[in-house]
Amino acid sequence: FTIKKKCSLGTEICGEEDGSGERGLLHTWMGYSYSTTPERILLSRPVLQAALGARHGVLLVEGGQVYSFGELPWKQNHTSSVVTEPVLEAVLSEQRVVFVAAGSVHSGVVTEDGGMHMWGENTHGQCGLSGLSVIPNPTPVGVLDSEAMPPQTVKILEVACGDQHTLALSAKHEVWAWGSGCQLGLNTSKFPVWKPQKVEHLAGRHVLQVACGAAHSLALVRCLPPPHEPRKPPQDKCGQCHQMLYTMTDREDHVIISDGHHCSVGVELDSGETTSAFEGTSEFSTPEPDSCRATGGKSSPYPDEQAVKAYLKRLSDHALAEHTTKTPSTLHSLSSDCADCFTSDPLIPVAQSVTPMGSALNNLVVSCASAVGERVVSTYEALSLRKVIGYWVPGERVEERLRQEEPMQGKKSSSLGDIREEEAELSRRLSLPGLLSQVSPRLLRRTSRHRARAVPLAPGGIPEADAHLPPLQTEVWSWGRGQEGNGDYLPVCLKSLNGKEVLRVAAGAYHSLALTAQSQVTHFACISVAFLLSTVLFSTHHVFPLATLWVEPISEENTGIYGLKVTSPEESFTLLASSPAEKAKWLRSINQAVEQALSGLGHDGIPPSTGVTQRADPPISRTASYTFYKDSRLKEAIYEGRWVSGKPNGRGVVKWPDGRIYTGTFKNGLEDGYGDYVVPNKNPNSCDHYQGQWKDGKMHGFGTFRYASGEIYEGSFQDNMRHGHGMLRSGKLNSTSPSVFIGQWQYDKKSGYGVFDDITRGEKYMGMWLDDQRQGNAVVVTQFSLYYEGSFSNNKMMGNGVLLSEDDTTFEGEFSEDWTLNGKGVLTMPNGDYIEGSFSGVWGTGLKMSGSYYKPSLYDSDKEKAHALKLGRLAVHSEEKWKAVFLECWNRLGCDSPGQGQTTTAWDNIAVALTANRRQQRDSPELLSRSHHKTLESLEFIPQHVGPVTLEVYHTIRRYLVKACDTPLHPLGRLVETLVSVYRMTYVGVGANRRLLPQAVNEIKSYLSRIFQLVRFLFPDLPEEGGSLADPPKEKGGSDPAGKQLESPKPGYVRCSSALLLPVLLPRLYPPLFTLYALEKEKEDDVYWECVLRLNKQPDLALLAFLGVQEKFWPVTVTVHGEKQQVLSSTKDTCFASAVETLQQISTTFTPSDKLQVIQLTFEEITQEVLALLKQDFLWSMDDLFPVFLFVVLRARIRNLGSEVSLIEDLMDPCVQHGEHGIMFTTLKACYYQIQHEKIT
């Protein structure tokens, strides 16, 4: 016999009957990438059955003993869980086991009395014992039928083990299940099921066999037979001469069974006549099988050969003596009792029919095969076949049958595949699933010849109407994950296997097999509920919805085959046809079925209604729903949306069983583009929520992640991790620890430059990070106006640093902890006194010091200069800040690093980004205003020019940059928006510290230079910083009014980054920047403002006289509301009124160029009024002009004039510092300082 089964690790086991007569030998080998050379495993007894799990196996040997081998982690008495040699399950020594089964990580056996034992992993309840996660040794498991009154214990015929579940077949042919998963077939959603429960969906059906896969189950069910007529006992004697049709004679070393009956009456048997049965005598079933062993000659592998030979001789003598004295009626009586159960129910499985009644005979014949010889084996096979089939067909003459049998005597087969096709058809199908391991193929060949009529071999009453027997009728039922059915939970009949006359089913982890009566093995799998390709062999048993099937013909030029490539979302396979016509037929049929599924027409192969136009081929791009079953990432998830050639492509929604939902775009089966992803949390009222860009199935690009904890991250992602620039908000203002971090991330950790605002402690950190810790140079400011700049290490202030308080008390030295002085340093008082020495202690709680105290005198100016503190030396350089922000902009332009790339590629990427954003905005028009729409349209036109940049081209580029920076959909606009965000985050709130002003100004200058590098990359012909344009202006300002904003030296116009970009950038950064200027100039502005208020109490003429303005410049008349009025001594706020109003506009402008333009217009207004007064040409001198301008500045009452002056001075275009604008600005600055020191008596 042959037992062969493959486990998930590739182990195969084979027990064989070779030419030497040895039976039950065990060989193992490893498939796949391991060695495939079989290795024999030595056991003292023949192996009758083997069962394999994922990494272990169970063996049933003669005598009913059970061995285990492989990885046995549940064994507590083994130092290693891997067992190379089979070990005896000693707990079962007192039991006689008749059946073994193995699941992935558990095992089960059935004993002779119908009991069941289980052991192994029990996490999911697969062993049927509650309260234990591991069962180390075989433990009895009872199956109780609670519906019976009183409750009865159920006897078990066989058991099948899966991954997390177990099935049992009872003696009443009912199925019981326990464990976890929908593969149980029970109407419940609560798992695990600890106690065996009856599968009610199969109640009332005659189940012949059960099988378990990893997550699915199978049952072989006998169809209901037609009503039976009353039976009459068959004849076992000749109908003419009344002699026995079969005779059996025992010899010393063999048994002779003769079917050569010749009727003495001389009448030939016709089709209506029958022959009688042959039966084995009772002596064959009386000896205990343990007392005998097979002898294979000189090389027998089993012990006690002499005892076996002696026993066989005694057995032969005893059987011969009994045969001569026993009457035929005794033989007939015995055979009737033994065989009645088989003839009355020809579909009883072998577990019931052969065991235990025939177990002694079974084991005896198997054990003695070598000693007695082939005739005994033939006898055993005949008797076994007699019990299994119960029929013999005599429709031919004895001589002809013997002549046909003679050449087949020596032929043997190791598998059913060797059965010849002309011998394959049985007039009566073998209906028992267990018979194939009990009967040799040689005897099957003898009984498989075509005969006209079948006759029972034992009494039992077969009606004449059953003389011509119908075909075998069985059904295969399946349930579990991936199986066709009602929600996959309840068993359903596989219609594709109806009429196949299935004898036995087998289930692998993820596929199933069926053996038919024609000796064919079918891998059965379904393509869809509506359309079953049951004639095609697939590697898995799975339902493929037609809506997600794509079929295309394979070219015959190179391959020479007629094939169709069928593509599903998770698998691809090839269908081969025998001819081009068959190929075309299959292609047309499948396409038609797919088209029907897509259009909702027809089902189960029913063609669509007439009058409906059908496409020739289903569309490659379509909308459909699909449930994934194989993909590890999407397993059991449901996708609804667009498809292209078997892959999700376009808009779609994925819903996972655990509640996760993705809604967005796909590309080639993976999330790609904008998507919305929700992940449920343990807290039912919260979840993780991501909205942003995806690439290759991962979060990649800009997005917003709202965590269930309340944190919100906005920024860049890469491979599902925060990577690049981003902002993380933790908590809310009223929560326990609200904070905000904005800066650079690397692989989900803060690394690089970043700003951390600890709202609870009122501190803001602006510096370097490494692996989520503060590391490197940084600046820290607090809400109490403390200022620290220095080094950090391991998240602490450590090393050299500078600490300043609000009253200008300064410490410069060594730190060991946050705000903790420890080491040498210099402590400087607000009045200039300082202490040099060693310090220790926390700032603000008392310091311990040891050193020298110095009090500078008036003559120590040189030493005081040496101690002058320069802030910013230990801070992060402005060029090192926000590198990730600029790098992301370069990446959007197609450059891996700044300046490294092609300009044409950059413009292509800009066009793609704008087009994609416009398309997205078309879907949601409410997101864009009408002006924004026009801005996007105008950006589609790239400024074109040939040769050097002229003034006209320069203004065209400037207008383009203004529009580009006005929309975040453009890479430059996105960059400006991010820079504004980080700038405000840094210098607003706690960051509004006057000592940060130099860093804030330098940061803006850094922005300008780095943005200008991007602009020159897009427009390579632009002149470098401070360079001149190609040609001088034809007229001042040209046609663009903005051209008058900057005065440039002749002969050419000089341009720089500030002139081009400040008008775009500074208005957005003005509020936090001007606040810093106001804080820095607060004391000076207070002094200035006090003087302005006092001097403005004077009338116009008195103030003009006080300021020293010559009387010829005093206005005599003024125009008020269109009427000329005389200037009196009491007149106030009327002289030079137009110039005053013009100068007041300086507070409403942002850029230095705009403010300088206001100053220039103010001077022009003063000049116009003086010329009208003098009525002649006039050229100003500074001595004449300054008092008049000072009067205008006082009357303008500009509150923060000092801040305005400082802003202009820090950010004005260097090319105009020495021109006309430069002189005018110097005049305004002088006026500011003059007012502060003006004495009023």
Side-chain angles (χ1 to χ4, degrees):
F1 70 101
T2 299
I3 304 172
K4 184 174 182 181
K5 180 180 180 183
K6 182 178 290 185
C7 69
S8 62
L9 290 183
T11 304
E12 296 185 354
I13 295 180
C14 181
E16 65 179 33
E17 172 190 3
D18 56 15
S20 63
E22 299 177 358
R23 299 171 63 87
L25 304 184
L26 178 66
H27 293 78
T28 66
W29 66 91
M30 304 291 286
Y32 302 105
S33 60
Y34 298 92
S35 171
T36 57
T37 303
E39 297 181 3
R40 179 176 171 183
I41 303 299
L42 297 178
L43 290 172
S44 61
R45 301 187 180 188
V47 177
L48 300 181
Q49 186 190 356
L52 297 184
R55 298 177 182 271
H56 78 289
V58 183
L59 305 175
L60 173 63
V61 301
E62 183 180 290
Q65 295 177 334
V66 177
Y67 288 81
S68 298
F69 67 96
E71 296 186 12
L72 311 174
W74 49 83
K75 292 293 184 183
Q76 300 174 348
N77 55 348
H78 288 277
T79 57
S80 174
S81 62
V82 180
V83 179
T84 56
E85 297 294 333
V87 295
L88 178 67
E89 297 291 348
V91 177
L92 298 172
S93 299
E94 301 299 326
Q95 303 286 336
R96 185 174 183 85
V97 176
V98 296
F99 190 88
V100 296
S104 295
V105 287
H106 71 294
S107 307
V109 300
V110 178
T111 59
E112 192 174 23
D113 58 358
M116 181 172 54
H117 293 68
M118 306 291 298
W119 72 100
E121 292 289 337
N122 191 39
T123 308
H124 303 282
Q126 58 263 54
C127 286
L129 298 167
S130 61
L132 297 174
S133 60
V134 175
I135 312 298
N137 297 306
T139 304
V141 176
V143 180
L144 188 65
D145 188 356
S146 58
E147 296 179 357
M149 295 302 293
Q152 298 178 355
T153 301
V154 177
K155 289 188 177 183
I156 301 301
L157 295 179
E158 65 178 67
V159 64
C161 301
D163 187 11
Q164 301 176 5
H165 74 298
T166 306
L167 299 181
L169 180 63
S170 70
K172 295 182 178 180
H173 300 278
E174 297 172 333
V175 180
W176 296 75
W178 60 95
S180 299
C182 60
Q183 59 268 30
L184 295 181
L186 304 176
N187 191 12
T188 181
S189 59
K190 296 181 180 180
F191 302 109
V193 177
W194 295 104
K195 295 182 179 181
Q197 302 290 328
K198 186 189 298 185
V199 181
E200 296 293 345
H201 204 68
L202 293 175
R205 300 183 183 275
H206 192 96
V207 181
L208 303 175
Q209 183 213 346
V210 292
C212 290
H216 70 286
S217 304
L218 300 175
L220 182 62
V221 179
R222 186 186 70 179
C223 296
L224 296 177
H228 291 291
E229 298 179 2
R231 296 185 177 184
K232 58 182 180 180
Q235 298 180 359
D236 55 353
K237 297 182 181 180
C238 177
Q240 302 297 325
C241 64
H242 304 287
Q243 297 296 321
M244 298 296 296
L245 295 176
Y246 288 85
T247 60
M248 181 174 65
T249 305
D250 269 349
R251 300 301 185 190
E252 293 183 357
D253 58 348
H254 60 278
V255 179
I256 299 175
I257 300 176
S258 174
D259 59 354
H261 169 71
H262 294 271
C263 182
S264 58
V265 179
V267 180
E268 194 174 280
L269 292 174
D270 57 15
S271 61
E273 311 217 336
T274 62
T275 59
S276 61
F278 67 89
E279 289 294 335
T281 61
S282 61
E283 283 78 7
F284 276 99
S285 59
T286 53
E288 289 295 327
D290 291 344
S291 63
C292 96
R293 297 287 184 270
T295 59
K298 298 180 180 180
S299 60
S300 174
Y302 304 116
D304 301 327
E305 295 185 12
Q306 297 301 325
V308 173
K309 292 179 180 179
Y311 174 78
L312 289 175
K313 186 175 186 304
R314 293 195 304 270
L315 176 65
S316 178
D317 295 340
H318 178 70
L320 183 60
E322 288 291 327
H323 178 71
T324 57
T325 58
K326 187 178 289 292
T327 62
S329 62
T330 305
L331 177 64
H332 180 87
S333 173
L334 174 64
S335 64
S336 177
D337 294 339
C338 295
D340 183 70
C341 60
F342 303 102
T343 57
S344 61
D345 191 356
L347 293 177
I348 294 177
V350 73
Q352 180 185 9
S353 61
V354 176
T355 306
M357 186 182 301
S359 60
L361 175 63
N362 187 339
N363 293 320
L364 173 63
V365 179
V366 172
S367 303
C368 302
S370 299
V372 180
E374 185 179 350
R375 282 296 182 181
V376 177
V377 179
S378 301
T379 305
Y380 165 71
E381 291 176 342
L383 294 176
S384 299
L385 187 62
R386 156 68 186 84
K387 293 184 177 184
V388 170
I389 303 178
Y391 297 96
W392 192 257
V393 185
E396 58 186 358
R397 301 183 68 89
V398 176
E399 293 83 4
E400 181 179 357
R401 185 176 73 243
L402 291 176
R403 185 172 61 255
Q404 292 177 351
E405 285 181 357
E406 190 62 30
M408 298 179 63
Q409 285 290 332
K411 295 183 180 180
K412 296 184 178 181
S413 174
S414 61
S415 70
L416 292 178
D418 293 338
I419 299 178
R420 297 180 181 179
E421 188 167 337
E422 63 271 13
E423 302 169 344
E425 293 296 329
L426 292 171
S427 59
R428 173 63 180 172
R429 305 303 179 186
L430 306 180
S431 60
L432 298 184
L435 67 90
L436 297 175
S437 61
Q438 305 287 333
V439 184
S440 74
R442 176 166 56 84
L443 196 61
L444 283 177
R445 284 198 299 271
R446 290 185 180 182
T447 61
S448 63
R449 296 188 188 91
H450 181 75
R451 294 175 175 89
R453 187 174 178 182
V455 179
L457 294 177
I462 300 297
E464 285 296 320
D466 286 346
H468 296 282
L469 296 173
L472 175 65
Q473 296 294 327
T474 57
E475 296 175 340
V476 177
W477 290 64
S478 174
W479 63 98
R481 285 199 296 271
Q483 306 305 302
E484 177 191 15
N486 185 8
D488 290 344
Y489 281 81
L490 299 177
V492 294
C493 180
L494 298 182
K495 303 297 184 181
S496 59
L497 295 177
N498 286 357
K500 298 291 184 179
E501 300 188 346
V502 176
L503 296 178
R504 190 171 183 85
V505 293
Y510 304 106
H511 66 286
S512 305
L513 304 177
L515 175 65
T516 68
Q518 291 81 16
S519 304
Q520 294 178 348
V521 177
T522 302
H523 300 242
F524 54 94
C526 304
I527 292 184
S528 71
V529 178
F531 186 77
L532 299 178
L533 296 180
S534 58
T535 59
V536 185
L537 305 184
F538 296 113
S539 60
T540 59
H541 179 196
H542 181 71
V543 179
F544 295 93
L546 282 173
T548 51
L549 274 188
W550 285 258
V551 59
E552 57 180 335
I554 300 176
S555 175
E556 304 170 6
E557 296 181 0
N558 300 326
T559 60
I561 59 176
Y562 311 115
L564 298 177
K565 181 182 179 182
V566 181
T567 302
S568 72
E570 297 177 88
E571 292 192 49
S572 178
F573 39 86
T574 302
L575 305 181
L576 299 181
S578 59
S579 64
E582 184 181 8
K583 172 183 174 181
K585 181 179 178 181
W586 273 97
L587 179 61
R588 183 172 61 255
S589 299
I590 298 178
N591 278 336
Q592 184 181 21
V594 172
E595 179 61 32
Q596 291 172 6
L598 292 175
S599 60
L601 300 174
H603 59 87
D604 293 333
I606 300 176
S609 302
T610 58
V612 179
T613 303
Q614 292 283 309
R615 285 186 290 257
D617 295 321
I620 296 179
S621 176
R622 62 186 71 158
T623 300
S625 177
Y626 179 80
T627 301
F628 290 87
Y629 72 99
K630 193 174 183 181
D631 189 293
S632 58
R633 189 176 64 92
L634 297 172
K635 191 170 185 179
E636 298 184 8
I638 301 175
Y639 171 79
E640 295 182 9
R642 298 295 298 171
W643 297 79
V644 173
S645 298
K647 300 293 182 183
N649 200 299
R651 295 281 301 174
V653 178
V654 175
K655 297 180 181 180
W656 281 267
D658 57 6
R660 290 176 293 155
I661 301 176
Y662 171 84
T663 305
T665 58
F666 288 79
K667 184 178 180 181
N668 294 328
L670 297 173
E671 299 91 330
D672 200 292
Y674 184 83
D676 188 293
Y677 183 56
V678 178
V679 181
N681 192 265
K682 295 180 180 179
N683 188 344
N685 297 324
S686 63
C687 62
D688 293 334
H689 188 190
Y690 172 77
Q691 292 175 297
Q693 297 296 321
W694 295 73
K695 183 179 180 181
D696 297 334
K698 296 181 179 179
M699 292 178 282
H700 192 104
F702 184 82
T704 302
F705 202 119
R706 292 176 173 83
Y707 298 89
S709 60
E711 295 182 326
I712 300 176
Y713 173 83
E714 289 183 78
S716 296
F717 286 82
Q718 179 177 311
D719 295 335
N720 284 338
M721 293 182 290
R722 296 170 292 194
H723 189 87
H725 176 78
M727 178 171 60
L728 177 66
R729 294 188 179 93
S730 300
K732 300 179 180 179
L733 292 178
N734 57 356
S735 63
T736 55
S737 58
S739 62
V740 180
F741 171 83
I742 187 168
Q744 186 172 356
W745 298 75
Q746 289 184 359
Y747 305 109
D748 233 19
K749 293 185 178 181
K750 307 179 187 76
S751 294
Y753 181 77
V755 176
F756 180 72
D757 190 359
D758 190 335
I759 301 174
T760 304
R761 299 177 61 182
E763 295 181 4
K764 183 170 288 189
Y765 173 91
M766 295 165 279
M768 304 304 294
W769 295 76
L770 181 65
D771 292 338
D772 275 340
Q773 290 191 332
R774 299 176 293 179
Q775 186 81 16
N777 289 351
V779 171
V780 178
V781 292
T782 72
Q783 60 183 346
F784 305 109
S785 298
L786 286 179
Y787 174 93
Y788 169 87
E789 73 173 45
S791 61
F792 278 75
S793 181
N794 297 325
N795 219 32
K796 302 174 183 176
M797 293 180 183
M798 189 174 295
N800 293 326
V802 178
L803 179 62
L804 288 86
S805 63
E806 176 63 19
D807 61 354
D808 291 336
T809 302
T810 306
F811 173 80
E812 185 175 5
E814 297 179 354
F815 291 78
S816 62
E817 294 277 348
D818 288 357
W819 314 111
T820 302
L821 288 59
N822 191 357
K824 296 181 179 181
V826 177
L827 180 65
T828 304
M829 308 302 175
N831 61 357
D833 297 353
Y834 62 93
I835 301 174
E836 287 187 1
S838 297
F839 298 82
S840 64
V842 179
W843 185 269
T845 61
L847 299 175
K848 295 180 180 180
M849 62 187 71
S850 174
S852 302
Y853 177 84
Y854 297 91
K855 187 174 182 63
S857 63
L858 297 176
Y859 306 101
D860 292 339
S861 58
D862 295 339
K863 194 171 184 179
E864 185 177 354
K865 290 180 181 179
H867 282 281
L869 186 63
K870 294 182 180 179
L871 295 180
R873 294 182 296 107
L874 300 178
V876 179
H877 194 269
S878 58
E879 296 295 330
E880 298 296 321
K881 297 179 179 179
W882 315 118
K883 281 187 172 182
V885 177
F886 285 93
L887 182 60
E888 288 177 6
C889 184
W890 283 104
N891 292 338
R892 291 189 186 97
L893 296 179
C895 303
D896 295 332
S897 59
Q900 302 297 320
Q902 298 294 328
T903 301
T904 54
T905 303
W907 282 112
D908 290 342
N909 289 336
I910 291 175
V912 170
L914 292 176
T915 303
N917 284 308
R918 285 196 66 190
R919 185 182 299 114
Q920 182 177 351
Q921 300 304 331
R922 276 201 304 269
D923 298 336
S924 304
E926 68 279 359
L927 301 179
L928 278 184
S929 63
R930 181 174 301 178
S931 60
H932 208 165
H933 247 316
K934 293 181 178 180
T935 300
L936 286 179
E937 292 177 359
S938 62
L939 288 175
E940 293 183 355
F941 299 96
I942 303 173
Q944 301 289 340
H945 71 279
V946 179
V949 176
T950 62
L951 181 62
E952 182 181 358
V953 174
Y954 172 83
H955 288 311
T956 304
I957 294 174
R958 184 182 59 81
R959 287 191 295 267
Y960 179 86
L961 291 178
V962 170
K963 295 178 180 178
C965 294
D966 196 37
T967 171
L969 305 182
H970 193 286
L972 290 179
R974 178 69 172 277
L975 172 65
V976 170
E977 185 182 67
T978 306
L979 291 177
V980 171
S981 175
V982 299
Y983 193 86
R984 291 179 177 176
M985 173 66 190
T986 306
Y987 300 110
V988 170
V990 178
N993 190 301
R994 60 188 175 90
R995 306 188 196 280
L996 294 176
L997 178 60
Q999 299 178 41
V1001 173
N1002 290 333
E1003 194 166 322
I1004 290 179
K1005 293 180 179 179
S1006 172
Y1007 293 169
L1008 295 175
S1009 63
R1010 286 186 278 182
I1011 296 176
F1012 190 64
Q1013 184 184 5
L1014 282 161
V1015 174
R1016 290 199 70 241
F1017 177 76
L1018 294 175
F1019 302 99
D1021 295 329
L1022 268 177
E1024 296 181 357
E1025 184 75 22
S1028 300
L1029 297 180
D1031 51 353
K1034 297 179 180 179
E1035 59 182 82
K1036 187 175 180 180
S1039 59
D1040 186 13
K1044 299 189 295 182
Q1045 293 181 2
L1046 295 176
E1047 291 295 329
S1048 303
K1050 302 294 189 278
Y1053 281 81
V1054 180
R1055 290 295 179 259
C1056 62
S1057 58
S1058 61
L1060 187 64
L1061 299 173
L1062 262 183
V1064 175
L1065 190 61
L1066 194 55
R1068 296 172 168 86
L1069 306 179
Y1070 194 81
L1073 177 63
F1074 196 79
T1075 301
L1076 293 177
Y1077 274 110
L1079 292 173
E1080 175 66 18
K1081 296 294 181 180
E1082 183 177 9
K1083 294 181 179 179
E1084 296 179 17
D1085 278 344
D1086 287 345
V1087 175
Y1088 150 80
W1089 187 245
E1090 183 180 358
C1091 293
V1092 168
L1093 293 179
R1094 289 182 181 180
L1095 292 173
N1096 273 298
K1097 294 179 181 179
Q1098 303 294 328
D1100 290 346
L1101 296 181
L1103 185 58
L1104 287 171
F1106 176 80
L1107 296 177
V1109 178
Q1110 297 184 33
E1111 291 188 10
K1112 64 178 181 179
F1113 300 129
W1114 293 10
V1116 178
T1117 60
V1118 293
T1119 303
V1120 178
H1121 302 298
E1123 297 181 1
K1124 287 189 176 183
Q1125 298 180 1
Q1126 190 73 22
V1127 176
L1128 306 175
S1129 59
S1130 61
T1131 303
K1132 187 178 180 181
D1133 295 330
T1134 57
C1135 295
F1136 299 102
S1138 60
V1140 171
E1141 292 178 359
T1142 302
L1143 185 60
Q1144 287 174 341
Q1145 296 177 11
I1146 196 172
S1147 298
T1148 63
T1149 56
F1150 299 107
T1151 65
S1153 60
D1154 292 338
K1155 295 180 184 295
L1156 290 174
Q1157 187 71 22
V1158 170
I1159 297 173
Q1160 180 183 353
L1161 293 176
T1162 303
F1163 276 100
E1164 291 178 356
E1165 289 290 340
I1166 295 173
T1167 302
Q1168 293 295 330
E1169 192 162 343
V1170 171
L1171 288 175
L1173 180 65
L1174 298 178
K1175 298 180 181 180
Q1176 62 181 2
D1177 293 337
F1178 174 75
L1179 185 63
W1180 283 106
S1181 67
M1182 186 55 67
D1183 292 338
D1184 296 335
L1185 177 63
F1186 184 76
V1188 178
F1189 192 69
L1190 183 59
F1191 173 84
V1192 173
V1193 171
L1194 281 170
R1195 284 295 193 231
R1197 299 177 179 87
I1198 301 171
R1199 179 63 180 88
N1200 299 105
L1201 183 59
S1203 302
E1204 301 283 3
V1205 170
S1206 297
L1207 187 149
I1208 297 172
E1209 187 176 23
D1210 289 340
L1211 296 176
M1212 68 185 300
D1213 194 338
C1215 66
V1216 301
Q1217 288 180 354
H1218 304 292
E1220 184 180 6
H1221 278 177
I1223 297 174
M1224 294 178 182
F1225 169 71
T1226 304
T1227 304
L1228 177 63
K1229 184 177 179 182
C1231 292
Y1232 174 71
Y1233 287 109
Q1234 180 67 29
I1235 294 173
Q1236 292 183 60
H1237 299 89
E1238 195 68 56
K1239 301 291 185 181
I1240 301 179
T1241 57

